[in-house]
Amino acid sequence: MNISLFKSVLIFNTFYIVILLLAWGLGNDSVSKVISFFPVFLLAYLLLFNCKKLRYINKSKTDLLIVGLLFIGSTLHVLLSPYFLLSDFIKFIFIFLVFFIAKYGLNRYKKIDHKLFFVPMLFFPLMCFCVYMYDTLIKHEATNPVLFFSNRNNAIAYTFVCIFVLSTFTKTIKNGVLATLIVTIFYGTLGALLAFIVAFSFTMFKWSLSAAFKVLALLFFVFLMFFYLDLEIFKRVSIAINGLISFFELYSLSDLKHVKFGEIVAMQDGSDDVSMFFRLKHWGEILAILMDDYSNLIFGWGMGASVALTSMSLVPHNDWLRVFFELGIFNFLSFTLLNAVIFIKLRGHDKFLAALFLTLCIYMFSENLINNFLITSFLYFSCGLFFKNENSKYRT
């Protein structure tokens, strides 16, 4: 088996995107429901050709620990959790399987036909960006769905993944960093901007006189943009800051659960951009449930518990909290260790790639990315391929 399996993943996902676009264009929800089973078909295809090769996981103690924690956590979750949502549970397990299949189930790749990247990695993200800019600048509706993505948050997350994959396999890493900054600013997503700043500061920054001058220059540039450019993201920063100041003048953080959204809108001078407070209220409600019964942390409350047990009836905009709450401590440790191993490996190869990956990991603190099959399949499969290629280099 060679890189043809990666070609298959690209082709499968391209077909998936085209079908979703058609369903979105026709407004046919029944097609969307049928195609939602697509991850199961892709997973079955990958396992069919690579199941036997997964036995090589036992050669790596770290990988064996990840799989061991996942096995314990998943078994406890299925047997003991009060809630269980099979479709979401499969999406979580899918992350680990695509990574290990790519890492152990493929021979070292030599060349990738870059034409295969065009639709899923270039055309579609550009299409999303153009649609969003049209809605924002022409229709003045920045909160609309972006094609079949429910909102811009998922659209920018998918764009981040595409930039990461292209940077990994086409060796255009610095261009990828610039593209990430541009789409972050123009999509106007605060969580993405914060993730980008923290990730690149942590990964790239070294204290020195020249670095200090660069930071000052960047801050001055951002300061000018904030006051002289009428960009959505700077409006949202201003609204968030003013809202927080007004809130803490009247309340403490523990009072947030009692504050209604109408009051928050009034604090923000009539702005209905309450996404930050919405997240905080939802997270606080989940943490309160956690504190009521710590024993459930062993196996988790179950996939779907966030929807069933909270007043907002939604999954939290925080994948890390969701895994901890719904899937329990063992699955949380397995997921954390997997991402830590990937980040450390990438950082040893190229800090720009590591920063791009860390941006996505931090962004998971404010978004639901696990449920998005396109994001997880491309991200973790490409990470597994990267590991495979780097390990092959050391053996040859």
Side-chain angles (χ1 to χ4, degrees):
M1 186 65 61
N2 52 31
I3 194 59
S4 61
L5 188 58
F6 187 41
K7 291 180 181 179
S8 298
V9 173
L10 286 169
I11 293 169
F12 264 76
N13 281 359
T14 300
F15 175 75
Y16 181 60
I17 289 170
V18 170
I19 296 297
L20 285 175
L21 283 174
L22 287 173
W24 168 79
L26 296 172
N28 193 329
D29 291 335
S30 59
V31 176
S32 299
K33 291 177 181 178
V34 172
I35 201 68
S36 65
F37 290 97
F38 185 84
V40 179
F41 297 131
L42 179 57
L43 182 59
Y45 172 79
L46 293 173
L47 286 173
L48 180 65
F49 289 99
N50 296 277
C51 187
K52 291 182 179 180
K53 293 185 179 181
L54 291 179
R55 67 181 184 272
Y56 294 113
I57 287 175
N58 60 20
K59 291 183 178 180
S60 167
K61 292 181 180 179
T62 305
D63 289 348
L64 196 59
L65 178 59
I66 293 172
V67 172
L69 289 169
L70 180 67
F71 176 77
I72 295 170
S74 299
T75 303
L76 291 173
H77 174 75
V78 171
L79 295 177
L80 300 175
S81 294
Y83 296 88
F84 182 70
L85 186 60
L86 180 61
S87 58
D88 284 4
F89 182 66
I90 289 175
K91 289 176 182 177
F92 176 72
I93 299 298
F94 185 84
I95 291 172
F96 297 86
L97 287 174
V98 293
F99 173 78
F100 286 121
I101 286 172
K103 182 177 179 181
Y104 291 103
L106 297 169
N107 295 327
R108 180 186 172 190
Y109 61 86
K110 295 181 179 179
K111 185 180 179 181
I112 300 174
D113 185 357
H114 294 164
K115 293 178 183 177
L116 293 171
F117 287 129
F118 179 72
V119 171
M121 299 279 110
L122 288 173
F123 175 74
F124 180 59
L126 284 173
M127 186 179 178
C128 290
F129 184 71
C130 291
V131 167
Y132 174 75
M133 294 307 296
Y134 173 78
D135 286 344
T136 303
L137 300 177
I138 307 300
K139 298 173 69 176
H140 303 289
E141 297 176 349
T143 58
N144 277 355
V146 182
L147 298 179
F148 57 74
F149 288 121
S150 58
N151 52 47
R152 61 185 168 188
N153 299 332
N154 280 277
I156 192 174
Y158 179 74
T159 305
F160 279 177
V161 170
C162 292
I163 292 170
F164 173 80
V165 175
L166 289 171
S167 299
T168 303
F169 296 111
T170 61
K171 301 188 184 303
T172 56
I173 296 172
K174 293 186 178 180
N175 291 338
V177 174
L178 179 61
T180 304
L181 179 60
I182 291 171
V183 298
T184 301
I185 291 174
F186 282 96
Y187 263 114
T189 308
L190 293 181
L193 178 63
L194 182 61
F196 179 87
I197 292 172
V198 173
F200 276 83
S201 298
F202 175 78
T203 308
M204 304 295 301
F205 188 72
K206 292 182 179 180
W207 289 102
S208 65
L209 186 61
S210 62
F213 277 116
K214 289 178 182 178
V215 171
L216 289 174
L218 179 62
L219 290 174
F220 180 70
F221 177 69
V222 172
F223 177 83
L224 291 177
M225 291 179 68
F226 183 82
F227 285 100
Y228 293 103
L229 289 183
D230 190 28
L231 294 176
E232 173 72 13
I233 195 163
F234 295 125
K235 293 179 183 177
R236 298 192 69 206
V237 169
S238 178
I239 290 169
I241 292 173
N242 292 333
L244 283 173
I245 292 172
S246 299
F247 175 83
F248 284 111
E249 284 177 349
L250 300 172
Y251 303 101
S252 65
L253 190 60
S254 60
D255 298 322
L256 182 59
K257 61 183 177 182
H258 303 297
V259 180
K260 297 181 179 179
F261 285 114
E263 296 177 66
I264 295 172
V265 170
M267 292 178 200
Q268 298 182 155
D269 298 324
S271 172
D272 59 357
D273 185 0
V274 296
S275 60
M276 176 180 62
F277 288 99
F278 165 81
R279 284 166 168 76
L280 291 174
K281 283 174 72 71
H282 200 187
W283 298 345
E285 193 172 352
I286 290 173
L287 290 173
I289 297 171
L290 275 172
M291 290 186 286
D292 283 342
D293 188 356
Y294 290 107
S295 62
N296 276 358
L297 281 177
I298 298 172
F299 42 82
W301 269 253
M303 279 302 224
S306 305
V307 177
L309 299 177
T310 61
S311 60
M312 296 183 187
S313 299
L314 295 167
V315 294
H317 285 66
N318 186 329
D319 278 330
W320 297 98
L321 177 61
R322 185 189 182 193
V323 171
F324 188 63
F325 173 65
E326 293 189 348
L327 291 168
I329 187 66
F330 290 103
N331 285 315
F332 177 79
L333 290 174
S334 181
F335 184 62
T336 302
L337 184 58
L338 174 68
N339 286 285
V341 167
I342 293 172
F343 171 73
I344 293 170
K345 182 76 170 182
L346 290 171
R347 192 175 188 183
H349 174 76
D350 191 291
K351 289 185 177 181
F352 285 105
L353 274 182
L356 287 171
F357 179 77
L358 186 59
T359 298
L360 283 159
C361 289
I362 296 174
Y363 194 37
M364 288 182 185
F365 278 101
S366 61
E367 279 308 320
N368 307 313
L369 304 186
I370 288 177
N371 273 6
N372 194 308
F373 158 73
L374 282 174
I375 290 174
T376 56
S377 62
F378 275 134
L379 177 62
Y380 289 98
F381 197 87
S382 61
C383 287
L385 279 178
F386 175 83
F387 270 65
K388 163 62 81 174
N389 190 46
E390 289 301 302
N391 291 341
S392 297
K393 287 179 181 178
Y394 292 120
R395 290 197 297 266
T396 56

